[in-house]
Amino acid sequence: MSQALTFRYEIDGDDFTRAGEASSSMKNKLKQLGLDSDVIRKVAIAMYEGEINMVIHADGGKITVTVSDTEITMVLSDTGPGIPDVEKAMQEGYSTARAEVRSLGFGAGMGLPNMKKYTDEMQIDTTVGRGTTITMKVYI
Amino acid sequence: MTIREMQEVLDARFLYGEEMADLDVEFVFSADMMSDVLAYGSRCSVLITGLCNPQVVRTAEMLDIVCIIFVRGKMPDENMLALAVGKGIAILATEHYMFTACGILYEHGLRGGA
Ligand SMILES: Nc1ncnc2c1ncn2[C@@H]1O[C@H](COP(=O)(O)OP(=O)(O)OP(=O)(O)O)[C@@H](O)[C@H]1O
Ligand SMILES: [Mg+2]
């Protein structure tokens, strides 16, 4: 592949049962492209954590994934409430998730640190009341 | 230990993916919080859980987990099982509680991976 490939997903914020569809579809596409399974797993975990966050914290959003010869770039953007204190949000165990989210198996405050752990670059741009854009790269 | 052997020692039922019965597994993670599975379970090929919703199957898919074991009689519905199709995930259900299910597998040589 010499030209970068781009994949776009709309994430529905109302339907927790469908959360993860985009990450599942992306994982499949990366497999079809014949990428290394470790690279695929890193992308899948990071994107899934981000997708779940969009559903439980931001009422959905958009994900764009670009695959080039050297890296996979994921851009997750939402128009949710934004993150007031990013440093705090990046700490393991920090979560504002409601009890209902916890009963669904999420809300332990592990997602953002995990996204950082599984990617080679991660940047968070967020404005309270406006939304959040998270850009992550995994090198191939 | 194979998936079939786990099924036998746990008195479990195959709900999906019986064709994977001969696959060998080694490391197991058990939790009801999918947050924890995603954070700590990436070396494991088996997930034992008492949580029963579609995100359990999605989480397993992202981590390349090959077998989900639902404990204390939890029964995934058709929609959940459909999510495992084509993903290389076998699904078992046992009446044992979490602690007992883990203990039995540990006794048979399986270990935690985190
Ligand atoms: N897209 C987002 N919009 C608004 N707030 C967010 C967003 N993503 C994360 N946050 C905030 O950052 C906190 C930490 O996020 P993180 O993903 O680490 O944990 P969590 O989602 O609460 O729990 P877990 O990821 O373990 O299920 C969240 O509780 C929430 O307050
Ligand atoms: Mg999260």
Side-chain angles (χ1 to χ4, degrees), chain A residues 49-60 76-86 88-98 101-102 105-115 124 126 131-134, chain B residues 33-36 38-39:
Chain A
E49 292 273 22
E51 185 179 351
I52 294 277
N53 276 356
M54 280 181 159
V55 174
I56 64 181
H57 303 299
D59 204 23
L76 294 82
S77 57
D78 65 61
T79 53
I83 305 174
D85 187 340
V86 172
K88 220 171 171 183
M90 285 301 299
Q91 285 170 12
E92 284 187 12
Y94 177 82
S95 176
T96 60
R98 287 162 294 129
V101 167
R102 252 167 265 238
F106 291 88
M110 299 304 298
L112 289 174
N114 215 21
M115 287 153 75
I124 302 179
T126 183
T132 301
T133 297
I134 299 182
Chain B
M33 286 299 273
M34 294 304 108
S35 296
D36 288 341
L38 286 158

Side-chain angles (χ1 to χ4, degrees), chain B residues 14-30:
Chain B
F14 258 107
L15 301 183
Y16 183 75
E18 194 155 3
E19 69 279 2
M20 293 172 63
D22 294 328
L23 204 72
D24 241 308
V25 298
E26 195 173 359
F27 295 112
V28 183
F29 197 86
S30 66

